[in-house]
């Protein structure tokens, strides 16, 4: 067993375990923190996949921004009676069937597929990619999508502010 | 483009332009009728110009085609014009009669709200008729043919608020449609063998076909002509079509549209010529219709219907003339008849317009109040009866001479007898209506119509007297030429050999008929009503020999019974099944409705499970294949 | 298999453990030292002595304080979410510790020579607000919740200008690695003046300092902890070593901000004779950092606290436009400069 | 580790997220479940990036865009959640069944 494998097992165990805990925990704050833990472990997976920039981004965006934002909203909307049922009226059987069958199908597909690197890129297998390379790729090859994504963010920002302000209708 | 073609297109487009403007402007256009009349005048002038040039020999017949679309393996379908003496003659007749009736209508339909629509339909009809006449292929001809029928429907139904009008209009449409179907079938068979719709190649290739096929095609085409020209046994719509305004009757149901059948047979005469059976059929049907309609005319009471039956009768003559092989005689009679019959209708219309009744026995002594109408009617009656020197005499005489010459004695005999009957019934009409004591209605309402009405029919009266010259058989009889025969020579017209015996026989038959009518209805020497033994004949004739009733019993009633049975089956069976299905769907819907819980999560769950199932199924399918 | 695995765990675990212990040690030492320094500087500014009893001039005072904190009773509110109450200090402490992973001491000595260097520091420190919110929430105390939310809001707001203010430096050095950034400042600009990025990015440095202060919840931006309003904010209910962890991580974070400021703007270990005597490098770094820390403490001693609305307005309406302008100008110059020179 | 194990991990995380999105009661947690699913996508993308296109790192580029979209989604989603809470004083999706047939 190599360190690589060990790290993968520990991290994926963390991801899945905290994911499951996220599903079952009764306390919404706990659920959010399990979610955060799952994402941080995922960041570890990214590190293992030689994507440190994305690992850092994962932490920055999910931990630094999204989780804090969600905690804010949870604090703002926390319900007066703490008796919160975890699962809705849909129950868990249907969703369980859906989720398990999805996983089974994916597992079947993955086990039947073979993956090989693109012929032109086999040379890069053992090479460590740098942030600079990623930056060049992003700002040269994918400049237009990048600009569009930036514009999308701007629109989302404005829209979120507008909706949250609740102007024009029953703002309480 | 040839100037002749240009003129022909112009003649057709003028009424069409009038129609377009009128239909687009609706009721707002104040001078709508004058627009239509103006267009028609121009068309008439152009037509006469062409005719004169043709007669003078400055122009030659022309047959042009402009490609429309192509069907692989066949000749291109084209828009084309066949301009020869036959079509030019028809162009003149159509435009002239149309102009006369349109002018007349200004007075006749004064104050009608939908006057512009009337003129639009008249213009469209004229355009369709001209297009029909000028066509050089069957497709164009069929389109125009149906358009003509459609306009007839519009115009008969002009007063559609009167309850007897819509059935009459529908009847005209339906009966002619029945005839059209075999005709289209004929055209299709012809196309199957020929591979082209154009007239000229068709005539060439038909000659090579077996005689049975030719006969079939000819008979099928002739059935169409029977319907349009109101020949026995598909004549029943024409008397009912008198429900339309009188100018419509004059233009469509006397002069032009009903002549379309005759024109069609004349146009495709090369096909008929190849089949003796077809020719005999045409001759017999024509002669019989002439006789048959005339017998009904003797007993009918309605002034317009009498004239309508006379129209049928005269159309029978034209058909018979074709059947015995003379385009000249047929077309000559068509020409003269168009003018004198249009005039008769217009004059009768003037009487009706004044008196608001159509029963001749309600009238009497109209002569004293409506002198001009009387004069016109006398001229028309003489022409119809075939008394020299009216045009009707010359043309009818030409037909009889042709039959005599071809030794078709059955046709000749029926024709000669019909001359007698015709003279009798038209003078019966004349005497009963215009002479004798004035009835109350005439006292009260009788007045001469305005100039805009009597002008047209007086002009037509003049033409009626003069037009006979065109066919005077001067060559053999008085030392001059057969103008009509020579003019139509380019279209297959022949020169009919006259014989003095025929003239003497026909004139005497006509005079005997007039004399008899005079004795009974003017001098009142004896009362026909007292002859009880003739009652069944009178009853039969007055009821059009029960043809409508026969049709009613053989076709209409069984159809109704079948329809009722179908209705029952539909309501009890099909509706039950359909409603049952609907109820089943609704019931199951009410039960299934509950799965629409309104929770997005439920829907999403169902979606994903379904997706998984689909993938599974597809996966197995993919593995097995 | 299990033996193999355990062996591996031991070997890998040791490496991680050593790194972590080193970080924790550095953070703890730095934190403890800074607390003492701050007290001394503040007392100096206020013209008094401050701690003098324990050790020379009270040098061991904070050590003694730590020992005291460890020994104190660890109270937990009855209604508190006990697990989270326990977890929150760690959640705040770990990011501060992990930030030290990528900070170089000289051109070769760094725990993790990583090409995302400075980005890692900013990424990992964003976990801190989560810890603060959790601390506030788990205390079951309305002041704590408000304090936690306020500090989180403040940190999130100022993270944007903070990150953007260092982007100018990153553009100039075209690297995220702190060693590379320091190396980029070695070039001579004019005569003896090295191209420290404080000369090239003066606005960037000022904005970095202001945003950093706000990020650290330091005076004049210490609203979340404002004793007079919120009774120390999120840490009200904390006592003993849990409180110690909050204090420790706070001061460790100050050290991190100062270190990064030095490395990015003030030439890092660059200084006279550093090339001749390599051992001087950490010394220069320490000196510069100390100077910056002194500045931060000095500010605390002299500036009054701002209001929360002033804070937010400053962040979004003044800082953000300024950093964006700075960034645009830097970009423009970078595009144009190669053509000019 | 082979690529397949990362793909399986991605599938597992996606399944967890899917289960959460389909079954959870709180609107916020449903939103988080969707984020988990996006995260699973990112795992796959980066794994592919590492194994299939190690030089051009296309998967990483794509996952950057996924993160952008996820951030947008959370921002808007939370704004909507706030608005819903203001209107109905609850975030339990069981109370939002206006689509009921």
């Amino acid at each position: 067993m190599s360190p690589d494998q060990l790290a993968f097992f520990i991290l994926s165990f963390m991801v899945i375990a905290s994911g499951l805990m996220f599903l079952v925990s009764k306390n919404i704050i706990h659920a959010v923190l399990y979610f955060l833990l799952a994402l941080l472990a995922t960041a570890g997976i990214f590190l293992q996949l030689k994507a440190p920039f994305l690992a850092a981004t994962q932490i920055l965006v999910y931990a630094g921004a999204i989780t804090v934002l969600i905690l804010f909203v949870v604090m703002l909307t926390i319900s007066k009676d703490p008796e919160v049922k975890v699962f809705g009226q849909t129950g868990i059987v249907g969703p369980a069937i859906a989720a398990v069958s999805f996983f089974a199908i994916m597992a079947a597909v993955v086990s039947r597929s073979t993956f090989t690197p693109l012929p032109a890129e086999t040379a890069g297998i053992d090479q460590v990619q740098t942030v600079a390379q990623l930056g060049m790729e992003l700002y040269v090859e994918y400049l237009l999508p990048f600009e569009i994504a930036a514009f999308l963010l701007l629109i989302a920002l404005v829209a979120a502010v507008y909706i949250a302000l609740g102007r024009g209708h029953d703002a309480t | 483009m040839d100037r002749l073609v240009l003129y022909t297109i112009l003649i057709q487009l003028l009424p069409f332009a009038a129609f377009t403007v009128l239909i687009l402007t609706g009721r707002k256009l104040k001078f709508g009728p004058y627009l239509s009349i103006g267009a028609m005048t121009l068309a008439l002038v152009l037509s006469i110009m062409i005719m004169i040039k043709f007669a003078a020999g400055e122009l030659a017949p022309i047959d042009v085609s402009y490609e429309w679309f192509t069907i692989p393996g066949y000749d291109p379908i084209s828009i084309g014009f066949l301009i020869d003496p036959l079509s030019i003659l028809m162009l003149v007749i159509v435009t002239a009669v149309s102009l006369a009736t349109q002018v007349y209508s200004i007075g006749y339909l004064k104050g009608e709200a939908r006057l512009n629509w009337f003129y639009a339909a008249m213009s469209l009809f004229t355009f369709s008729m001209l297009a029909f006449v000028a066509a050089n292929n069957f497709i164009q001809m069929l389109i125009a043919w149906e358009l003509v029928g459609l306009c007839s429907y519009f115009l008969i139904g002009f007063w559609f608020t009167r309850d007897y009008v819509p059935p009459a209009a529908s009847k005209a449409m339906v009966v002619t449609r029945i005839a059209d179907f075999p005709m289209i079938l004929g055209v299709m068979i012809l196309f199957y063998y020929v591979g082209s719709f154009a007239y000229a190649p068709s005539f060439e290739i038909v000659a090579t076909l077996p005689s049975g096929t030719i006969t079939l095609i000819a008979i099928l085409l002739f059935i169409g002509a029977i319907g349009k020209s109101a020949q026995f046994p598909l004549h029943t719509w024409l008397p009912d079509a008198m429900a339309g305004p009188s100018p419509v009757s004059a233009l469509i149901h006397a002069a032009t549209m009903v002549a379309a059948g005759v024109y069609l047979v004349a146009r495709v005469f090369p096909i008929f010529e190849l089949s003796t059976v077809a020719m005999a059929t045409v001759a017999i049907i024509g002669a019989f219709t002439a006789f048959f309609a005339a017998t009904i005319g003797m007993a009918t009471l309605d002034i317009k219907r009498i004239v309508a039956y006379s129209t049928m009768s005269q159309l029978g003559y034209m058909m018979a003339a074709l059947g015995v092989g003379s385009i000249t005689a047929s077309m000559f009679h068509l020409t003269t008849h168009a003018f004198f019959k249009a005039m008769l209708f217009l004059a009768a219309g003037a009487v009706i317009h004044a008196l608001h009744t159509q029963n001749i026995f309600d009238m009497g002594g109209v002569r004293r109040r409506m002198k001009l109408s009387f004069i016109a009617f006398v001229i028309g009656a003489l022409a119809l009866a075939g008394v020299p020197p009216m045009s009707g005499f010359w043309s009818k005489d030409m037909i009889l001479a042709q039959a005599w010459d071809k030794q078709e004695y059955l046709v000749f005999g029926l024709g000669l007898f019909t001359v007698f009957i015709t003279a009798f019934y038209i003078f019966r009409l004349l005497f009963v209506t215009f002479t004798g004591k004035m009835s109350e209605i005439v006292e009260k309402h009788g007045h001469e119509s305005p100039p805009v009405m009597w002008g047209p029919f007086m002009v037509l009266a003049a033409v009626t007297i003069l037009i006979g010259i065109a066919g005077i058989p001067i060559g053999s009889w008085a030392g001059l030429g057969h103008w009509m025969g020579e003019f139509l020579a380019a279209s297959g017209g022949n020169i009919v050999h006259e014989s003095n015996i025929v003239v003497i026989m026909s004139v005497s038959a006509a005079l005997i008929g007039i004399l008899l009518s005079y004795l009974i209805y003017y001098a009142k020497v004896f009362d026909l009503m007292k002859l009880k033994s003739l009652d069944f004949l009178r009853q039969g004739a007055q009821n059009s020999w029960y043809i409508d009733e026969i049709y009613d019993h053989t076709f209409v009633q069984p159809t109704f019974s079948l329809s009722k049975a179908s209705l029952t089956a539909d309501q009890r069976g099909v509706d039950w099944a359909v409603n049952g299905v609907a109820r089943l769907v609704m019931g199951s819907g009410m039960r299934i409705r509950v799965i629409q819980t309104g929770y997005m999560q439920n829907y999403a769950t169902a979606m994903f499970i379904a997706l998984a199932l689909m993938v599974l199924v597809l996966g197995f399918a993919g593995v097995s294949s | 298999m299990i033996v193999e695995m355990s062996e591996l765990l031991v070997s890998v675990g040791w490496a991680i453990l050593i790194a972590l212990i080193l970080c924790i040690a550095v953070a703890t030492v730095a934190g403890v030292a800074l607390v003492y320094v701050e007290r001394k500087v503040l007392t100096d500014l206020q013209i008094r002595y401050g701690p003098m009893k324990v050790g020379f001039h009270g040098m061991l005072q904070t050590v003694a304080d730590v020992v005291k904190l460890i020994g104190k009773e660890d109270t937990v509110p009855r209604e508190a979410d006990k697990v989270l109450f326990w977890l929150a200090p760690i959640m705040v402490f770990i990011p501060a510790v992990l930030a030290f992973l990528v900070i170089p001491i000289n051109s070769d000595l760094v725990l993790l020579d990583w090409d995302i260097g400075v980005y890692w520091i900013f990424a990992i420190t964003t976990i801190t607000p989560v810890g603060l919110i959790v601390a506030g929430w788990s205390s079951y105390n309305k002041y704590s919740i408000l304090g936690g939310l306020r500090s989180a809001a403040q940190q999130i707001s100022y993270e944007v200008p903070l990150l953007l203010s260092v982007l100018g430096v990153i553009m100039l050095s075209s690297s995220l690695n702190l060693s590379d950034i320091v190396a980029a400042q070695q070039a001579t600009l004019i005569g003896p003046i090295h191209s420290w990025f404080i000369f090239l990015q003066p606005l960037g440095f000022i904005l970095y300092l202001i945003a950093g202060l706000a990020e650290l919840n330091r005076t004049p931006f210490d609203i979340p902890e404002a004793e007079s309003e919120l009774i120390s904010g999120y840490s009200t209910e904390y006592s003993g070593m849990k409180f110690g962890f909050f204090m420790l991580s706070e001061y460790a974070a100050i050290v991190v901000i100062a270190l990064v400021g030095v490395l990015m703007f003030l030439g890092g270990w660059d200084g006279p004779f550093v090339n001749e005597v390599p051992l001087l490098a950490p010394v220069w770094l320490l000196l510069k950092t100390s100077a910056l820390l002194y500045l931060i403490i000095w500010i605390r001693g002299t500036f009054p606290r701002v209001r929360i609305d002033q804070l937010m307005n400053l962040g979004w309406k003044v800082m953000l436009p300024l950093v964006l302008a700075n960034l645009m100008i830097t970009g423009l110059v970078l595009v144009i400069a190669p053509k000019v020179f | 580790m082979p690529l397949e194990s990362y793909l399986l991990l991605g599938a597992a995380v996606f399944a967890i997220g899917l289960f959460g999105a389909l079954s959870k009661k709180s609107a916020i947690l449903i939103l988080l479940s969707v984020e988990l699913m996006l995260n699973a996508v990112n795992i796959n993308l980066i794994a592919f990036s590492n194994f299939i296109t190690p030089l051009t790192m296309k998967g990483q580029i794509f996952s950057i865009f996924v993160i952008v979209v996820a951030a947008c989604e959370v921002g808007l989603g939370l704004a909507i959640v706030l608005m819903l809470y203001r209107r109905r004083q609850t975030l339990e999706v069981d109370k939002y069944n206006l689509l009921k047939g």
Side-chain angles (χ1 to χ4, degrees), chain B residues 153-278:
Chain B
Y153 172 79
F154 286 154
L155 289 165
I156 295 169
F158 180 67
W159 284 321
F160 60 81
T161 48
R162 305 178 184 181
D163 54 1
Y164 59 92
V165 169
S170 303
K171 191 175 181 181
M173 196 73 183
V174 170
V175 174
T176 46
R177 289 300 310 168
I178 290 169
D180 288 347
F181 176 67
M183 178 181 164
I184 292 170
L185 200 63
V187 171
M188 288 305 147
I189 293 171
L190 194 66
F191 181 71
Y192 173 76
Y193 283 112
V194 175
S196 169
F197 282 114
Y199 291 146
S202 303
F203 298 157
E204 280 173 29
I205 295 168
V206 162
T208 64
L209 296 177
S211 63
T213 314
I214 300 171
T215 307
L216 179 69
I217 293 167
I219 299 281
L220 286 172
L221 289 175
F222 181 56
I223 292 173
I226 285 178
K228 213 53 142 190
S229 289
Q231 298 296 290
F232 181 84
L234 293 175
H235 63 276
T236 55
W237 64 271
L238 184 61
D240 287 5
M242 294 303 127
S246 290
V248 171
S249 308
L251 173 61
I252 297 179
H253 306 122
T256 55
M257 186 185 85
V258 287
V262 178
Y263 177 79
L264 173 71
V265 177
R267 185 84 276 176
V268 300
F269 199 65
I271 298 176
F272 282 84
E273 266 184 329
L274 293 168
S275 167
T276 45
V277 178

Side-chain angles (χ1 to χ4, degrees), chain B residues 593-594 596-605 608, chain D residues 18 21-24 30 93-94 96-97 99-101:
Chain B
R593 190 177 72 130
V594 293
Q596 296 291 326
T597 53
Y599 298 113
M600 285 310 293
Q601 286 177 312
N602 292 7
Y603 302 157
T605 307
F608 266 95
Chain D
L18 178 61
L22 296 182
S23 68
K24 288 299 249 185
I30 290 170
V93 287
D94 290 10
Y96 294 96
N97 62 346
L99 281 176
K100 191 172 173 64

Side-chain angles (χ1 to χ4, degrees), chain B residues 469-489:
Chain B
I469 296 163
I472 295 172
I474 298 162
S476 63
W477 208 51
L480 291 170
H482 293 75
W483 186 86
M484 188 58 98
E486 281 161 10
F487 180 71
L488 287 175

